[in-house]
Amino acid sequence: MATFLHRLGRGAFTRRRLVLLLWAVVLGVVGIAAANSSGSGNSTITLPGIEAQKAYDLLGEKFPAANAAGASARVVIRAPHGEKLTGGPRAEVTALVKGLRHSSSRVASVTDPFAAKTISADRGTGYVQVTYAAKAAELTDADHRHLDDALGAARDQGLTVEASGSALAPAKSAGSSEAIGFVLAAVILVVTFGSFAAAGMPLVTALVGVGTTLLAVTALTSAFDLNSSTAGLASMLGIAVGIDYALFIVSRYRSERAAGHDAREAAARANGTAGSAVVFAGLTVVIALVGLDVVDLPVLTAMGLGAAGAVVVAVLVAVTLVPALLAFAPERALGRAGRKRTAGTPRTSAKPPRGERWAAFVLRRPWKVLLVSVAGLVVMALPTAKIQLGLPDDGSKPTSSTERKAYDMLAQSFGPGFNGPLTVVVSDTDPAVAEQAVGELTAGITGMKDVATVAPATYNPAGDTAMVTVVPKSAPASGATKDLVRDIRARAADTRAATGAESLVTGATAMNIDIAQKFGNAIVPYLLVVVGLAFLVLMLVFRSVLVPLKAALGFLLSVLAAFGAMVAVFQWGWFKGLLGVQTTGPIMSLVPIFTVGIVFGLAMDYQVFLVTRIREAYVHGAGPREAITEGFRHSARVVTAAALIMTGVFAGFMTGDDAMLKSLGLGLAAAVVFDAFVVRMTIVPAVLALLGTRAWTLPGWIDRRLPHVDVEGEGLAAAAPAAREPVVTEAGVTGVR
């Protein structure tokens, strides 16, 4: 591996203009494909194999008109100053209904709130249902604008009007999340490298990688009906790993130059050593993301593949474009201080690097450091026991959004459960049996304590299927509503046993319960597959059993502590004002398993980057403790910078409005802090010090069967010219002869 990447780096350095041209061509091709793509991301989540989804699919089959794929909007109206909609404002409401009907040729129907009796008991609030004959993705900017104009005209007449639904214009992202991450990354890189040229290279390569990925996702969105969050997740992860991977190669290039190699050979060696670590680190991330397919949810699989694609592109960019960029600025990438040391100027300070001093501190008291670190992570993980999962709805949107205002108005005027109605679907091949089952089931549901209303059953034309709408008294995410779903399903099972008719429950709360159960059943197989495959990869890299085992256990501590942070902020409301969280409530069901996948990949990143440098020193003759010190001397600073960059990138996504990306951003930022600074920088050296040589041993029967992969660059000694002899002083390597 190291020899191949060494040749690749040397070739990219020599043919730098060709490499730039090839990446420009790639960007151009995916850009053209994206421009010709007709689709946009959808926000629909399908969950095959669960009862709520089966009920929804059955409705689509038996009630095709009621479940048309057209976009819709619910317009909520409130009379001014405590007036009644049935009084003076009635004319304005009628004008609004008329304006909505004529707002677009795509409008299929608009309900009249007076005829449909969608007026609250106090007659102060009502709502209008607008249905379109086109899908949400097919609506034009003009359709959105005319809808907004109709709402604005009613507001000008004194009505309070808010709206929700798929027909509304999608929120425009200002790109602030990515911008914040890039600004923080630029500052950290400049401080780390002391060179604008060196700091700029990771940023440029990250832009190329993320640009390529996002254009590819856009081009594929229509063909694969990708979820609207796919691009956001790919962007988040692509920026983070793209910067980090380039950072490690550039840092290793500077080390190789300080060791006396010329620019081309230093770039080649950096690609062969740090590039090998990048490849294997990227492989572990890809395994974790592709492994999401184990959960068997199409949306999760698609988002995982999109993010995995971003990582693959980041790796390819790092091992090809970074050496090419180094060729354009071989000296400026060193910074002023680096150029002086390369020329032989002595280092002015004899003080060891902070990373070396930290390693020495840990090595003096490994047991104490280990126990304190583990105890701290365990305390952080305690809130995880109280985690609650759910799917996002308009109640999780910012309080300034029209969707959230409409949600709150409906809850105030029609009851907390109005925003989360349950739909009970009863079906049998015999219409008479279906009718009997509906009667028995409806009677049982009406008597349940948390039921506000039970609407009369609506039958399909064949009469063999009915749907009954049940409005709970409690809010959609409350425990009482979840208990109601379980009670209705238990009653449905009794009815089926008595009549033979199938009864299914769907709705947002039912979906939440089912997906939480599905994730609970899938998490263990997912961890077994992902951890098992990554364990084999790490065993191949480190030629050890204990090191991969330690890496997996450290990951578990990191991810549980991250879950604890999410629960404390998003459920309990700790520091929510400081972190910009407007609403507390359940964490989106997709977030924990995504966090597991991504954090596992990132944890293995730091494991590979840090421990390969320690193993490299050990392989070249250093003792176990000396190898730890050597590894930290060379890699602690750059690992710290990489962790700070990732933390900044992920934290930047908390500034957006997307509920999933906001919670995912906090979880990932917290996990990076815990994993990089507590696990990898503290627990890892403590455990390695306690294990000694046992950390680097492998049973003979395993060693004979595992292929040898050169990650430390052992094969480069014969493949490349030797460096000029370094000048050594009391302060260390200061120059070359």
Side-chain angles (χ1 to χ4, degrees):
M1 175 63 73
T3 304
F4 167 75
L5 291 174
H6 177 276
R7 291 198 300 268
L8 181 63
R10 179 183 283 267
F13 189 96
T14 304
R15 299 172 178 83
R16 53 189 179 276
R17 291 183 176 82
L18 176 61
V19 173
L20 289 181
L21 177 62
L22 289 175
W23 277 109
V25 170
V26 169
L27 277 170
V29 170
V30 293
I32 293 172
N36 293 327
S37 175
S38 58
S40 60
N42 69 77
S43 58
T44 303
I45 298 176
T46 58
L47 310 168
I50 64 176
E51 179 177 330
Q53 187 67 48
K54 290 178 182 177
Y56 184 82
D57 294 341
L58 184 60
L59 285 174
E61 176 187 347
K62 299 293 186 177
F63 295 86
N67 288 272
S72 64
R74 176 181 282 177
V75 180
V76 186
I77 316 156
R78 178 165 288 173
H81 310 302
E83 298 181 35
K84 310 297 183 184
L85 290 177
T86 52
R90 183 167 187 144
E92 286 79 5
V93 175
T94 302
L96 171 61
V97 172
K98 183 178 180 181
L100 291 171
R101 285 197 181 109
H102 294 89
S103 63
S104 171
S105 60
R106 300 171 182 264
V107 172
S109 64
V110 179
T111 62
D112 186 320
F114 303 110
K117 299 181 180 180
T118 55
I119 303 291
S120 63
D122 63 4
R123 293 178 293 171
T125 305
Y127 64 90
V128 177
Q129 195 69 30
V130 184
T131 304
Y132 288 76
K135 294 181 180 179
E138 297 171 350
L139 297 183
T140 64
D141 290 340
D143 293 324
H144 297 311
R145 185 172 61 254
H146 293 155
L147 174 60
D148 291 339
D149 290 344
L151 303 183
R155 292 183 183 119
D156 292 340
Q157 297 299 315
L159 296 174
T160 299
V161 182
E162 305 296 343
S164 63
S166 59
L168 271 64
K172 300 294 184 182
S173 173
S176 59
S177 302
E178 292 86 347
I180 291 172
F182 261 88
V183 170
L184 289 174
V187 172
I188 294 168
L189 287 169
V190 170
V191 172
T192 301
F193 285 136
S195 163
F196 286 104
M201 289 177 189
L203 297 176
V204 170
T205 54
L207 283 173
V208 172
V210 171
T212 302
T213 302
L214 291 183
L215 290 173
V217 168
T218 302
L220 297 173
T221 292
S222 179
F224 293 96
D225 196 27
L226 298 180
N227 186 269
S228 56
S229 296
T230 301
L233 181 64
S235 173
M236 173 194 293
L237 198 55
I239 291 172
V241 300
I243 292 175
D244 277 6
Y245 292 167
L247 166 64
F248 279 97
I249 293 178
V250 173
S251 176
R252 187 59 185 253
Y253 167 81
R254 289 157 63 100
S255 297
E256 295 295 340
R257 287 300 304 275
H261 294 287
D262 61 38
R264 186 175 69 167
E265 181 58 24
R269 282 180 170 267
N271 218 45
T273 52
S276 295
V278 164
V279 170
F280 281 101
L283 180 60
T284 59
V285 181
V286 170
I287 288 173
L289 293 169
V290 174
L292 291 169
D293 184 59
V294 172
V295 185
D296 192 28
L297 291 179
V299 61
L300 208 58
T301 299
M303 293 174 71
L305 290 176
V311 175
V312 171
V313 172
V315 171
L316 293 175
V317 169
V319 298
T320 57
L321 188 56
V322 171
L325 293 178
L326 287 170
F328 284 100
E331 303 303 323
R332 282 182 293 166
L334 302 177
R336 183 175 300 176
R339 289 196 294 271
K340 288 181 178 180
R341 286 198 296 271
T342 302
T345 303
R347 184 180 295 170
T348 57
S349 174
K351 193 174 184 180
R354 288 189 182 90
E356 184 178 347
R357 299 200 302 273
W358 174 251
F361 168 80
V362 174
L363 292 176
R364 284 195 298 270
R365 48 187 69 81
W367 273 116
K368 291 182 180 179
V369 169
L370 178 61
L371 292 176
V372 170
S373 300
V374 171
L377 289 178
V378 169
V379 170
M380 287 297 303
L382 290 178
T384 305
K386 302 294 184 181
I387 192 169
Q388 297 176 356
L389 303 180
L391 291 177
D393 58 14
D394 289 338
S396 62
K397 292 184 180 294
T399 53
S400 59
S401 66
T402 185
E403 295 94 337
R404 175 60 184 276
K405 292 176 181 177
Y407 181 97
D408 291 341
M409 288 168 63
L410 290 172
Q412 293 164 7
S413 300
F414 293 89
F418 188 82
N419 285 301
L422 303 172
T423 301
V424 182
V425 185
V426 183
S427 181
D428 192 89
T429 54
D430 186 345
V433 173
E435 185 176 1
Q436 177 189 353
V438 167
E440 293 184 9
L441 189 57
T442 301
I445 294 174
T446 303
M448 294 180 180
K449 63 179 182 179
D450 196 51
V451 173
T453 60
V454 179
T458 301
Y459 288 86
N460 68 332
D464 60 1
T465 303
M467 60 178 176
V468 179
T469 300
V470 180
V471 178
K473 293 179 181 178
S474 306
S478 70
T481 305
K482 294 178 182 179
D483 291 339
L484 176 61
V485 171
R486 296 188 181 96
D487 292 342
I488 293 175
R489 284 178 170 170
R491 183 75 182 191
D494 295 339
T495 302
R496 180 173 184 175
T499 65
E502 182 180 32
S503 300
L504 303 171
V505 182
T506 188
T509 303
M511 284 283 190
N512 289 345
I513 295 172
D514 291 347
I515 193 173
Q517 182 65 41
K518 191 173 182 69
F519 282 147
N521 295 337
I523 191 70
V524 173
Y526 173 64
L527 284 174
L528 289 176
V529 170
V530 171
V531 174
L533 290 175
F535 188 92
L536 293 176
V537 172
L538 294 179
M539 193 161 59
L540 186 68
V541 173
F542 297 121
R543 317 297 297 183
S544 167
V545 174
L546 295 177
V547 170
L549 179 62
K550 169 187 57 64
L553 294 176
F555 151 72
L556 291 175
L557 284 173
S558 299
V559 76
L560 289 175
F563 286 169
M566 284 191 286
V567 170
V569 174
F570 288 96
Q571 286 183 206
W572 298 350
W574 293 7
F575 310 110
K576 68 175 186 178
L578 179 65
L579 298 174
V581 177
Q582 298 183 15
T583 305
T584 58
I587 295 167
M588 184 178 177
S589 299
L590 297 178
V591 168
I593 200 160
F594 257 128
T595 303
V596 168
I598 296 173
V599 170
F600 181 81
L602 298 181
M604 296 308 104
D605 272 4
Y606 295 121
Q607 176 74 13
V608 170
F609 288 138
L610 180 62
V611 182
T612 49
R613 200 64 191 260
I614 297 174
R615 175 172 166 76
E616 182 178 341
Y618 180 79
V619 167
H620 288 105
R625 285 177 167 260
E626 291 76 10
I628 295 171
T629 303
E630 182 73 11
F632 269 71
R633 178 186 300 123
H634 290 290
S635 58
R637 179 181 177 87
V638 71
V639 167
T640 299
L644 290 175
I645 289 170
M646 278 205 178
T647 302
V649 170
F650 292 145
F653 280 83
M654 288 192 65
T655 62
D657 293 334
D658 188 298
M660 189 192 80
L661 292 181
K662 200 177 186 73
S663 56
L664 190 60
L666 172 68
L668 292 177
V672 167
V673 171
F674 296 144
D675 194 83
F677 298 113
V678 182
V679 175
R680 308 303 154 186
M681 299 290 286
T682 306
I683 294 178
V684 164
V687 172
L688 289 178
L690 294 172
L691 290 175
T693 56
R694 289 172 296 174
W696 311 111
T697 57
L698 192 65
W701 65 273
I702 298 179
D703 190 38
R704 288 190 296 271
R705 287 168 173 78
L706 277 182
H708 182 76
V709 179
D710 181 13
V711 179
E712 293 82 15
E714 297 174 72
L716 299 182
R724 289 171 287 169
E725 181 182 354
V727 176
V728 181
T729 69
E730 293 180 357
V733 177
T734 58
V736 295
R737 291 192 181 94

